[in-house]
Amino acid sequence: MGYLLLAGAIAAEVAATTAMKYSEGFSRLWPSLVTALGYVVSFALLAQTLKTVQIGTAYAIWSGVGTATIAVLGLLLFGEGLSLTKVAGILLIIGGVVVLNLGGAAH
C-alpha cells in the first residue's frame, strides 16, 4: 500500500509542478490553485507513505521519478530541448533510484 500512496504523491507533485508552469508566476488563478492543492496532496500522501516505506527510499523515488517525469513533460508540453546532457541526467536519476531501492530493500 505504501508504494501505491507514493505513486499518488508523485502524480500529485507532477501535476502541481506542471500547473505551476501554466500559472505564469501565480498570476492565473486556476493553475495557481491546482499548484497549491497538488503540493498539499503530494506531501500528505508522501507522509502516509513514510509509515511503511523507508524515508531514503521513498524520497529518492518521489524526487527522482518526479524530476524525470517533469523533464519529459518539459519536452512534450513546453518544447524544451533535448540534449545528451539532459538524457544523461535523467538516466543518472533513474539509476540512482534503482540503486537506492536495491540497497534499501532489507529492513
Side-chain angles (χ1 to χ4, degrees):
M1 184 64 165
Y3 287 99
L4 186 59
L5 291 170
L6 184 56
I10 293 166
E13 187 269 334
V14 167
T17 302
T18 304
M20 189 185 308
K21 175 71 172 172
Y22 287 112
S23 78
E24 297 179 11
F26 296 114
S27 65
R28 296 180 62 213
L29 177 62
W30 290 109
S32 299
L33 292 175
V34 170
T35 299
L37 179 62
Y39 281 120
V40 167
V41 169
S42 180
F43 283 118
L45 291 173
L46 182 59
Q48 293 301 309
T49 298
L50 296 179
K51 291 180 179 180
T52 58
V53 179
Q54 294 179 19
I55 190 169
T57 301
Y59 190 74
I61 294 170
W62 180 78
S63 62
V65 172
T67 301
T69 303
I70 287 297
V72 170
L73 287 175
L75 295 168
L76 299 174
L77 298 177
F78 306 113
E80 295 179 358
L82 181 64
S83 66
L84 185 57
T85 305
K86 188 177 274 191
V87 171
I90 292 170
L91 291 175
L92 285 169
I93 290 168
I94 293 168
V97 169
V98 169
V99 169
L100 280 170
N101 275 310
L102 293 174
H107 284 80

